[in-house]
Amino acid sequence: MKFWTAQCSQPGARPYNEDRVFCGRTDQGLLALVADGLGGYGGGAEAAQAAVDSCWRDFQAAPGTGREALRQLAQRANEEVRRLQRSGGQMKSTLVALAADQGMWAVVHVGDSRCYHFRDGQLLSRTIDHSVSQMEALAGRITDREIRFHADRNKVLRALGGGEEVRPEVRPAEPLQPGDCFLLCSDGFWEYVWEEEMLADLVKSRTPEDWLRYMAGRIGKRLNAHSDNFSAVAVFCQGE
């Protein structure tokens, strides 16, 4: 399987960008991820970068899509963020990572950065946020659509750096198919682009760069004085 990737990361209305995006390849596979730093005043950026560096280092050493391997990927990233905290900071970070290896894909995530999976013109799945607003939706008190406007939408229930042990969500490995498309993004991105818009922009895109450009254009028209950083990685899968 071949991979075609693109990424974007913008500060939105904030004075600094605490999101980090990354996409790297080994001989065996691919790792794409988005980390949204929490903490402000630059500390979140440190946490997000530490998560990126830790995950890539571990994936290079042992590429794979197994559940335990991805759980450990998140746990070691958690330890790196906590190491920074012990030096005086209180920073944290979300994490969503797509791992692909030998025709399989899997996702690990902590927090409210998301991974969307599209195939054959349909949205097949997305990760479930670890947030107060997501729990309200799961309980039936609000709809999924209302998550974007909920008063507690920024209250994250799990994050790297939140404790000695992190509780990542791992989506079990599944076979890749040519034409599979993935969007990994921070909450500042998905809050401003509806799922049907993601799909509409995907259908008219020839490249992952096109797809991100269309969606970023929508976000640019909807930004306000309180808009967060917005970041994403797009991955197109193609046959050999």
Side-chain angles (χ1 to χ4, degrees), residues 116 118 183 193-202 211:
Y116 292 87
F118 299 85
L183 176 68
V193 186
W194 302 109
E195 283 77 7
E196 57 266 32
E197 294 173 334
M198 296 176 186
L199 184 56
D201 289 342
L202 174 59
W211 192 22

Side-chain angles (χ1 to χ4, degrees), residues 111-167:
D112 62 355
S113 294
R114 292 181 177 179
C115 178
Y116 292 87
H117 175 210
F118 299 85
R119 177 184 290 164
D120 296 331
Q122 298 183 54
L123 171 60
L124 294 191
S125 66
R126 76 157 173 90
T127 50
I128 301 301
D129 309 329
H130 302 135
S131 68
V132 171
S133 52
Q134 178 71 77
M135 294 305 103
E136 290 291 289
L138 291 175
R141 287 187 282 271
I142 63 173
T143 67
D144 268 2
R145 200 172 183 88
E146 291 172 323
I147 288 175
R148 289 174 168 85
F149 311 107
H150 194 268
D152 293 327
R153 66 185 179 279
N154 294 322
K155 291 185 179 179
V156 176
L157 299 176
R158 301 186 204 177
L160 301 179
E164 289 188 13
E165 288 194 20
V166 69
R167 292 185 295 141

